[in-house]
Amino acid sequence: MVAASSCYASPFYTWFLAACMSVAHSSGGDNTRQAVGRRSRRRQLSNCSAVSCLDFRSCNHNNNNIALSSSLFGSSTVPLYRNQRRLNRGATSSGGAMAIAMDIKEDETVNKKPPLEKRRVVVTGMGVETSLGHDPNTFYENLLQGNSGISRIEDFDCSDFPTRIAGEIKSFSTEGWVAPKLSRRMDKFMLYLLTAGKKALADGGVTEQVMAEFDKAKCGVLIGSALGGMKVFHEAIQALKISYKKMNPFCVPLATTNMGSAMLAIDLGWMGPNYSISSACATSNFCILNSANHIIKGEADVMLCGGSDAAIIPIGLAGFVAVRALSQRNNDPAKASRPWDSNRDGFVMGEGAGVLLLEELEHAKKRGATIYAEFLGGSFTCDAYHMTEPHPDGRAGVVICIERALAHAGVSKEQINYVNAHASSTPAGDLKEYRALVHCFGQNPELKVNSTKSMIGHLLGAAGAVEAVATVQAIRTGWVHPNINLDNPENGVDTKLLVGPEKERLNIKAALSNSFGFGGHNSSIIFAPYK
């Protein structure tokens, strides 16, 4: 009895019953073929119980009946389609019962919860771990001065490698941020993530007392990594060569890319959205945009987001050497990363983390937070072309990504007057992105473009977040950092669009930050001054 009641209450059954009634009472019954069809359908209906309709099970009678039941759930076979057409014609001719069914369905739509008003997302804190500094202000001041964080690798002997330079973090301490026991066990990518995340909270004025007022179910962490705990995993493989008994029992959880976000959430007691995205060198932008969307949709009020990577270890260096992607300018490390320069010979690896504290505007204002900038929107696309090479027509996926980001942010092309480019110093990638930027913004005489990677190298999955920090700092300070090592610009590159060898003043209206990754991943995010 309960099942039958439920069946009559469902909008599908109301429509189904109305359609069948319409067929049964349609006019023009003198035709023998139509009469046979009506008798056949009445037999089918009499043999079909309300329970089977509710359960969406096909009735175990004749084949025509099975065909009728299947057609209602999307089958495209010819006999089923004909049966459906007959039902539709009958329903259209009578109209009354069908109209009742449609009215019920329309009422249900009207009674649905109205969409939330769009919630604004602002940046209220930042944290970094880089070769040029361990806080946003020191980091950005070094960028403005044109200082390079690229040097010879010291952490291990790489004398046999063709590349022996990187944006390596020389001094790093977890004291006061991570418990010593965990600090000894964890991979650097996770340590960078935890310290940068907590520094972002401190920078945002989120003390224990302030956090006690937060709804922990609406506070989330989404900090990704391109490669995760490579060192921990590599050490486990070496141990396995001796015996599985020698393996670190924490090797799996401490190597996975999601565990950094999870450990930070456990430490903070944050129970909102928590996961990791890994989309190669576009990872951070993916995490930032998804975090903002959680806030916009009301699923979170506060999000820590960004990326972290620590791949300057033998297996990481060797892997990128094998891909033939790295610069070999070992005798002059500071000059090795040269975006848009005709003498560039590959990118330089970097390491570290960048974390933004994103917050819903009213939530931030209620606690009196300092608002650094507003996050307006972004987009993702895929070249769908090659594992490591950008699409030959650089304007394809990248242009689509930029245009969708503008649409999502509600910003015109003319409003973008600063771009922090992906520009990693690779022969193909730099030009493809440059052409896409010219296509989108080339008519804007105020446009200025620079590459943070010219000074810190390519931080892989952390690159987008660290560059987002640089972008927000540019908005805050009114200064954009220089492009160093741009001595001989590539043919076709108009240096008027690029920031020169010295920092430049710029009143930023809206800023775009690009990140692209192996697999053809494209991402663009947009920030603006908070007004």
Side-chain angles (χ1 to χ4, degrees):
M1 180 62 71
V2 174
S5 301
S6 301
C7 185
Y8 284 115
S10 71
F12 164 74
Y13 186 76
T14 306
W15 176 86
F16 179 77
L17 184 62
C20 294
M21 289 172 63
S22 300
V23 172
H25 291 87
S26 61
S27 59
D30 294 338
N31 187 287
T32 305
R33 183 177 176 183
Q34 290 179 343
V36 171
R38 286 198 298 274
R39 286 197 297 272
S40 174
R41 280 191 289 274
R42 282 198 294 271
R43 283 197 301 271
Q44 291 164 6
L45 288 172
S46 65
N47 291 328
C48 183
S49 68
V51 174
S52 66
C53 291
L54 175 67
D55 292 343
F56 298 122
R57 292 194 295 264
S58 58
C59 306
N60 298 319
H61 303 299
N62 56 49
N63 291 334
N64 290 335
N65 189 48
I66 295 173
L68 173 63
S69 177
S70 300
S71 70
L72 297 170
F73 304 105
S75 173
S76 59
T77 56
V78 174
L80 311 186
Y81 178 69
R82 286 173 180 165
N83 280 334
Q84 183 64 51
R85 280 192 305 176
R86 294 186 188 114
L87 285 174
N88 290 343
R89 282 200 301 269
T92 303
S93 61
S94 68
M98 180 63 77
I100 294 171
M102 294 305 291
D103 285 344
I104 294 172
K105 191 169 184 180
E106 187 175 342
D107 287 343
E108 286 191 339
T109 303
V110 171
N111 291 331
K112 284 183 179 178
K113 188 177 179 180
L116 293 170
E117 291 185 10
K118 184 170 181 179
R119 288 152 50 102
R120 295 172 68 181
V121 180
V122 292
V123 180
T124 56
M126 298 180 289
V128 294
E129 295 293 348
T130 74
S131 60
L132 280 182
H134 305 283
D135 66 86
N137 293 330
T138 302
F139 163 65
Y140 199 63
E141 184 57 33
N142 275 314
L143 290 179
L144 291 178
Q145 296 303 318
N147 296 328
S148 176
I150 297 168
S151 59
R152 293 183 66 86
I153 296 171
E154 297 177 1
D155 193 53
F156 61 95
D157 181 10
C158 57
S159 56
D160 292 335
F161 288 77
T163 293
R164 300 182 288 279
I165 57 175
E168 184 181 51
I169 296 177
K170 303 299 185 186
S171 61
F172 170 68
S173 173
T174 60
E175 187 176 353
W177 303 107
V178 182
K181 187 175 182 179
L182 281 176
S183 185
R184 289 192 297 270
R185 287 176 173 172
M186 287 180 173
D187 190 279
K188 274 187 179 179
F189 104 90
M190 201 175 291
L191 295 176
Y192 292 155
L193 182 158
L194 292 173
T195 54
K198 291 186 175 182
K199 287 177 180 180
L201 286 176
D203 183 60
V206 181
T207 62
E208 288 187 12
Q209 184 177 1
V210 170
M211 201 186 304
E213 302 297 319
F214 285 5
D215 179 356
K216 300 292 181 65
K218 299 192 77 174
C219 297
V221 185
L222 209 179
I223 305 173
S225 177
L227 298 173
M230 290 188 72
K231 188 172 186 292
V232 168
F233 203 74
H234 179 68
E235 289 172 348
I237 292 173
Q238 299 305 310
L240 183 60
K241 291 179 180 178
I242 301 171
S243 170
Y244 74 91
K245 296 179 181 179
K246 298 289 184 180
M247 290 180 65
N248 180 351
F250 296 98
C251 67
V252 170
L254 292 184
T256 55
T257 60
N258 73 296
M259 197 55 66
S261 288
M263 291 296 288
L264 184 53
I266 291 169
D267 194 9
L268 300 175
W270 286 16
M271 300 180 290
N274 185 285
Y275 54 102
S276 171
I277 294 173
S278 184
S279 51
C281 304
T283 291
S284 288
N285 278 9
F286 275 65
C287 291
I288 292 168
L289 178 52
N290 276 279
S291 294
N293 285 337
H294 283 303
I295 294 174
I296 290 169
K297 292 190 291 184
E299 297 165 349
D301 293 327
V302 181
M303 292 290 298
L304 283 169
C305 55
S308 179
D309 260 316
I312 304 175
I313 59 174
I315 190 172
L317 181 64
F320 282 105
V321 164
V323 180
R324 294 181 290 181
L326 299 181
S327 170
Q328 298 183 20
R329 198 183 293 264
N330 299 305
N331 295 328
D332 197 359
K335 295 284 187 180
S337 186
R338 317 175 63 82
W340 301 297
D341 189 81
S342 58
N343 293 319
R344 66 193 182 280
D345 65 332
F347 77 83
V348 179
M349 289 179 68
E351 65 177 350
V355 176
L356 298 182
L357 177 62
L358 296 185
E359 202 163 347
E360 193 272 325
L361 175 60
E362 296 305 319
H363 188 278
K365 288 166 65 176
K366 184 178 179 180
R367 70 177 184 87
T370 299
I371 296 173
Y372 296 149
E374 183 170 4
F375 179 85
L376 298 184
S379 183
F380 319 126
T381 61
C382 181
D383 284 344
Y385 171 71
H386 191 272
M387 282 194 297
T388 59
E389 293 294 321
H391 197 284
D393 180 3
R395 295 181 300 177
V398 174
V399 167
I400 294 171
C401 186
I402 292 172
E403 290 178 343
R404 288 180 179 175
L406 293 171
H408 183 249
V411 171
S412 68
K413 292 180 179 180
E414 292 72 25
Q415 289 174 278
I416 300 289
N417 63 339
Y418 171 55
V419 176
N420 188 298
H422 178 72
S424 60
S425 188
T426 58
D430 289 7
L431 280 180
K432 299 297 189 299
E433 181 183 15
Y434 174 82
R435 289 167 185 160
L437 293 176
V438 170
H439 176 85
C440 291
F441 310 111
Q443 304 304 313
N444 186 350
E446 297 181 3
L447 181 68
K448 286 297 177 180
V449 181
N450 62 10
S451 171
T452 306
K453 294 182 181 72
S454 65
M455 287 174 271
I456 61 172
H458 193 346
L459 274 64
L460 308 176
V466 171
E467 289 157 18
V469 170
T471 302
V472 172
Q473 288 287 64
I475 291 171
R476 291 181 66 197
T477 64
W479 290 96
V480 292
H481 70 69
N483 287 300
I484 69 169
N485 303 327
L486 186 55
D487 301 326
N488 299 294
E490 183 74 62
N491 290 335
V493 173
D494 183 359
T495 54
K496 292 179 181 178
L497 297 179
L498 305 179
V499 183
E502 302 290 335
K503 65 182 180 180
E504 296 183 19
R505 268 286 181 193
L506 185 63
N507 181 24
I508 296 175
K509 299 175 183 176
L512 177 85
S513 182
N514 284 334
S515 285
F516 313 128
F518 282 179
H521 301 298
N522 305 310
S523 61
S524 299
I525 55 177
I526 298 174
F527 298 91
Y530 165 66
K531 296 178 181 179

